[in-house]
Amino acid sequence: MECTGQNSPQGNHTTLMEFILIGFSDVPNLQGFLFGIFLLIYLFILMGNNLIIMVIKVDPSLQTPMYFFLTNFSLLEIFYVSVTVPRLLLDLCRQYGNISLLACAIQMFLFLILADTECFILTAMAYDRYVAICNPLLYPVIMNDRLCIQLAAVCWTTAIPIHTMFISVLFSSTFCGCNQLNHFFCDAPPVVQLVCGDVFRIKMLLYMISTLVVSIPSFLIVASYVKIISTILKLPSATGRAKAFSTCCSHLTVVTLFFGSGIVVYFKSMTSHFTGVDKFLSLFYTIFIPMLNPIIYCLRNKDVMVALEKFLQKWIFL
């Protein structure tokens, strides 16, 4: 029986020791089909991102800050999908989704950290494009190896203390009553709905963290692209404008897809009851968009395409 999603006041309830991830058990006839689809997507994401990392590593022409951050982004995507998809595949196989509170906390902690890290790395990539297009003569000086490593380190570590605090607050609360999560992984909004008593403090903390993590990177990315587009439009030749804009297309496409889908689903679920529709929408930013990223960065980036062709000719076809 599915939970109503209402927070129960503390009373004569049994304290929960585990959750049940409903996942896609409401469509039992599609379990095998969904397993096959998600497995193929997961393997494609792993192979696509690993291929991008290898191509960048072996091609001397791609040893630039832009592709240093793309390597970080591809590595992040591998970790990001690996937090949720293997567990989803396992639950589809065994047809039940029992998960302990500790395992749920770990999964949520890793997912939130990696999602925030993706926001930060996309912001660093926008800054890199801003410097490359708006200050091309100073680009090698500004985007030196030391700064790139420092930016990457900040991106990978900033979210850790933030979500250590949030996870500590959330999982030190009491869960009681219904233990069913209408989701395929331990995401924050549906778990918060199962906390007993007043959850205003937890919801406000989650809302503030989500707002900061989304609004600050979004503002920096928009500001960067305002300057970038302004600079591109001032270039004298159409060829120069097209070349400059082509270096930003892949990044801008990924930013739009990731931030757009994440904002719609996450903020909608925090302002209302997390529904089955939200669960299906979550597939976009957890699985489908990571699947598109290797395609976007390969097909819309001529440098990567050329390097990929050379890599395949050297290591596979010869």
Side-chain angles (χ1 to χ4, degrees), residues 11-80:
N12 297 323
H13 297 284
T14 302
T15 301
L16 302 182
M17 300 303 294
E18 66 175 12
F19 295 127
I20 298 175
L21 294 169
I22 295 177
F24 299 97
S25 59
D26 50 345
V27 284
N29 295 332
L30 294 178
Q31 299 278 299
F33 173 76
L34 291 175
F35 177 86
I37 292 294
F38 294 145
L39 177 61
L40 289 175
I41 291 175
Y42 182 54
L43 293 176
F44 177 81
I45 293 171
L46 295 183
M47 291 187 294
N49 284 289
N50 274 299
L51 186 59
I52 289 176
I53 293 171
M54 287 189 291
V55 168
I56 293 174
K57 186 175 179 62
V58 302
D59 195 301
S61 67
L62 300 182
Q63 305 305 307
T64 65
M66 174 181 176
Y67 295 106
F68 169 78
F69 288 115
L70 180 55
T71 300
N72 276 265
F73 183 75
S74 296
L75 183 63
L76 172 65
E77 289 286 82
I78 293 172
F79 294 151
Y80 180 71

Side-chain angles (χ1 to χ4, degrees), residues 259-279:
F259 276 87
S261 61
I263 289 171
V264 169
V265 176
Y266 227 69
F267 282 94
K268 177 181 178 297
S269 63
M270 284 193 295
T271 55
S272 60
H273 175 50
F274 193 93
T275 65
V277 175
D278 296 321
K279 174 178 63 179

Side-chain angles (χ1 to χ4, degrees), residues 240-283:
R241 290 193 295 270
K243 184 178 180 180
F245 191 71
S246 68
T247 65
C248 303
C249 279
S250 301
H251 176 259
L252 194 56
T253 302
V254 171
V255 166
T256 303
L257 289 173
F258 180 76
F259 276 87
S261 61
I263 289 171
V264 169
V265 176
Y266 227 69
F267 282 94
K268 177 181 178 297
S269 63
M270 284 193 295
T271 55
S272 60
H273 175 50
F274 193 93
T275 65
V277 175
D278 296 321
K279 174 178 63 179
F280 280 95
L281 290 175
S282 298
L283 288 171

Side-chain angles (χ1 to χ4, degrees), residues 191-229:
V191 172
V192 169
Q193 291 177 354
L194 301 187
V195 174
C196 292
D198 185 12
V199 294
F200 178 78
R201 180 172 60 102
I202 298 175
K203 286 186 175 181
M204 284 304 300
L205 180 60
L206 178 59
Y207 183 79
M208 286 189 293
I209 292 173
S210 302
T211 301
L212 288 173
V213 167
V214 171
S215 61
I216 294 176
S218 297
F219 172 77
L220 294 174
I221 291 171
V222 170
S224 297
Y225 272 101
V226 167
K227 291 290 293 182
I228 288 170
I229 293 171

Side-chain angles (χ1 to χ4, degrees), residues 21 42 45-46 75-91 99 102-118 156 167 183-188 285-287 290:
L21 294 169
Y42 182 54
I45 293 171
L46 295 183
L75 183 63
L76 172 65
E77 289 286 82
I78 293 172
F79 294 151
Y80 180 71
V81 296
S82 296
V83 169
T84 57
V85 178
R87 170 80 201 200
L88 170 59
L89 295 173
L90 178 63
D91 290 344
I99 183 170
L102 177 60
C104 184
I106 293 172
Q107 185 185 51
M108 186 188 299
F109 179 64
L110 294 175
F111 176 78
L112 292 176
I113 286 175
L114 292 170
D116 289 0
T117 302
E118 185 154 346
W156 282 96
I167 294 296
H183 211 340
F184 56 89
F185 73 101
C186 281
D187 204 0
Y285 67 86
T286 55
I287 298 177

Side-chain angles (χ1 to χ4, degrees), residues 283-296:
L283 288 171
F284 282 95
Y285 67 86
T286 55
I287 298 177
F288 292 130
I289 291 176
M291 176 189 69
L292 294 176
N293 290 342
I295 300 174
I296 293 170

